[in-house]
């Protein structure tokens, strides 16, 4: 079992639980759902409030360890942004009474640091589009040391009731209900499926975050019978770790073929899968390199699996790369 009395593990679990609880509360009362960021991706009150709270605690406990997180207070520059900031101050104030706008912005921007030898990375709400749809999303926090993820914690409030998934390098991957006082952790293990035709494949819910026609082509090549399961966020990694899925493809969208994964979208989920016995590489079979900045610039997309199906998936990916013309007419 994981040592929850270890200071960094204990704090990471506590923060993810508190954040997941807050996300649920905010989601219940959400009226103005989202603000569009510069890249037109949505961001909500919950993303900012959680980043502020987690960053505040990490800055207090580990002032020297950088935090690399998704959001920044720059988003509050507009009139609409100011309305969001006021709501963020209110939500944060429920946990930190008297928190001011200036403090909230300072905490959020504590997360604007660059990765170092040892750093935290946070996606306050991974799968914001799922959160807005009241579907799957995850709070994802990880500690990375010398390019390797050491601790990965996922809070998935809508997964299997509500799920807290904690992975620590060499200590396995464990799941409990969120905010379960009894701390009834079960160890997770990937599936033993080794027949590609029977594989349960996971993909992003948003078609714009994957490559739909290439996915069809890969399914045909592997002989997969069931339709891929569409799901937002790193909740997919939790599902794979639990043996409820066998293969996960993060393909490159034809609209953004040069997209590079953000570390906060992958760090916690990668360790969750690996510590459950699975395998995670990029689409070329290379290990994910978390030592090169905020984006995984040395990797293209992600392939995660139960291990047994990894090679078969890499082979069809290799063939598909050699023959991209075959799907040009089917592009979305
Ligand atoms: P998912 O829930 O699998 O769709 O992944 C959610 C994450 O995908 C978000 O946190 C975004 O940072 C990230 N994302 C945004 N655009 C893309 C893209 N074009 N390809 C892959 N991932 C993306
Ligand atoms: Mg994300």
């Amino acid at each position: 079992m994981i040592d929850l009395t270890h200071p960094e593990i204990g704090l990471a679990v506590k923060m993810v639980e508190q954040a997941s609880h807050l996300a649920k509360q905010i989601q219940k009362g959400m009226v103005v759902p989202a603000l569009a960021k510069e890249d037109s991706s949505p961001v909500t009150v919950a993303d900012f409030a959680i980043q502020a709270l987690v960053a505040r605690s990490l800055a207090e406990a580990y002032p020297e360890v950088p935090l690399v997180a998704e959001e920044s207070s720059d988003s509050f520059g507009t009139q609409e942004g100011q309305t969001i900031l006021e709501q963020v101050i209110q939500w944060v104030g429920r946990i930190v009474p008297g928190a001011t706008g200036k403090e909230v912005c300072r905490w959020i921007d504590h997360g604007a640091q660059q990765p170092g030898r040892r750093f935290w990375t946070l996606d306050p709400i991974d799968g914001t589009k799922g959160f807005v749809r009241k579907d799957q999303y995850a709070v994802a926090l990880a500690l990375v040391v010398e390019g390797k993820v050491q601790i990965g914690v996922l809070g998935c409030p809508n997964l299997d009731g509500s799920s807290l998934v904690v992975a620590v390098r060499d200590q396995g991957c464990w799941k409990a209900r969120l905010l379960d006082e009894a701390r009834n952790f079960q160890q997770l293990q990937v599936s033993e499926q080794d027949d590609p035709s029977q594989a349960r494949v996971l993909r992003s819910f948003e078609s714009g975050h994957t490559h739909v026609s290439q996915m069809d082509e890969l399914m045909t090549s592997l002989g997969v019978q069931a339709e891929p399961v569409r799901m937002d966020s790193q909740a997919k990694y939790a599902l794979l770790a639990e043996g409820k899925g066998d293969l996960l493809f993060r393909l490159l969208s034809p609209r953004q073929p040069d997209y590079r994964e953000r570390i906060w979208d992958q760090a916690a989920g990668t360790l969750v899968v690996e510590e459950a016995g699975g395998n995670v590489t990029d689409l070329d079979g290379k290990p994910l390199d978390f030592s090169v900045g905020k984006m995984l610039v040395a990797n293209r997309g992600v392939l995660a699996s139960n291990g047994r199906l990894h090679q078969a998936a890499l082979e069809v990916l290799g063939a598909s790369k050699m023959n991209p013309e075959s799907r040009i007419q089917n592009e979305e």
Side-chain angles (χ1 to χ4, degrees):
M1 179 46 206
I2 280 167
D3 178 10
L4 293 170
T5 64
H6 181 284
E8 285 164 327
I9 301 171
L11 182 62
V13 168
K14 185 173 148 208
M15 293 320 303
V16 168
E17 286 204 294
Q18 187 182 65
S20 302
H21 183 60
L22 186 70
K24 275 178 94 157
Q25 286 176 298
I26 296 178
Q27 195 181 47
K28 255 190 240 162
M30 212 158 57
V31 194
V32 183
L35 191 71
K37 286 194 277 193
E38 255 175 35
D39 63 359
S40 78
S41 66
V43 58
T44 72
V45 172
D47 298 64
F48 294 118
I50 289 171
Q51 183 161 323
L53 286 166
V54 175
R56 172 180 169 270
S57 294
L58 292 177
E60 198 174 298
Y62 301 104
E64 307 302 325
V65 183
L67 171 65
V68 185
E70 180 165 12
E71 308 308 338
S72 122
S73 72
D74 294 349
S75 309
F76 301 137
T78 60
Q79 188 67 39
E80 214 185 348
Q82 282 298 307
T83 314
I84 297 269
L85 175 60
E86 279 157 30
Q87 293 175 46
V88 173
I89 297 167
Q90 279 180 19
W91 283 104
V92 173
R94 292 187 183 200
I95 294 166
V96 186
T100 64
K102 214 169 151 188
E103 283 171 321
V104 165
C105 290
R106 180 158 52 79
W107 295 331
I108 290 172
D109 291 337
H110 176 70
Q113 297 178 73
Q114 292 298 323
R117 193 191 71 79
R118 184 185 190 87
F119 65 95
W120 295 98
T121 184
L122 169 75
D123 195 341
I125 299 280
D126 179 31
T128 305
K129 290 178 180 167
F131 178 76
V132 172
R133 269 190 262 103
K134 307 221 158 129
D135 204 341
Q136 294 300 334
Y137 64 97
V139 177
L141 178 61
L143 178 70
V144 183
V145 183
E146 284 169 359
K148 284 213 159 79
V149 189
Q150 297 295 333
I151 302 174
V153 186
L154 295 176
C156 307
N158 290 340
L159 189 68
D160 191 17
S162 84
S163 303
L164 167 69
V165 179
V166 187
V168 178
R169 186 165 290 277
D170 301 327
Q171 292 182 32
C173 177
W174 300 76
K175 175 182 158 183
R177 289 183 69 77
L178 276 164
L179 296 166
D180 172 14
E181 300 266 317
R183 289 260 181 255
N184 192 8
F185 275 96
Q186 310 283 325
Q187 187 160 15
L188 299 188
Q189 185 70 46
V190 291
S191 77
E192 296 191 350
Q193 185 59 257
D194 58 5
D195 177 355
S197 74
Q198 300 304 309
R200 293 156 300 172
V201 175
L202 304 165
R203 59 156 269 203
S204 297
F205 184 95
E206 296 291 331
S207 294
H209 293 178
T210 187
H211 194 313
V212 176
S213 55
Q214 186 187 14
M215 182 71 89
D216 287 346
E217 182 194 333
L218 295 170
M219 298 300 96
T220 307
S221 306
L222 282 166
V224 173
Q225 287 169 15
E227 279 293 305
V229 174
R230 293 172 55 176
M231 186 180 281
D232 298 286
S233 85
Q234 287 165 76
K236 289 187 282 298
Y237 293 82
L239 215 61
L240 182 62
E242 204 179 348
K244 291 183 175 170
D246 311 302
L247 268 177
L248 186 162
F249 291 94
R250 286 192 77 77
L251 302 177
L252 297 165
S253 156
R255 282 186 230 124
Q256 283 174 278
D258 296 325
Y259 184 84
R260 291 294 174 265
E261 303 293 342
R262 276 48 174 168
I263 50 175
W264 49 79
D265 283 330
Q266 308 302 326
T270 299
L271 191 64
V272 158
V273 169
E274 287 176 349
E275 283 296 320
N279 196 359
V280 184
T281 65
D282 72 1
L283 299 173
D284 299 316
K286 281 176 18 192
L288 302 189
D289 183 352
F290 288 97
S291 70
V292 290
K294 292 190 178 189
M295 289 191 253
L296 298 177
V297 289
N299 298 108
R300 293 182 332 112
V302 178
L303 168 68
S305 76
N306 64 355
R308 292 168 186 242
L309 292 171
H310 212 83
Q311 194 50 41
L314 282 177
E315 277 165 25
V316 291
L317 276 164
S320 152
K321 199 164 73 175
M322 305 288 285
N323 187 25
E325 297 79 21
S326 68
R327 69 183 105 87
I328 278 173
Q329 279 126 14
N330 298 324
E331 299 299 350
E332 301 170 273

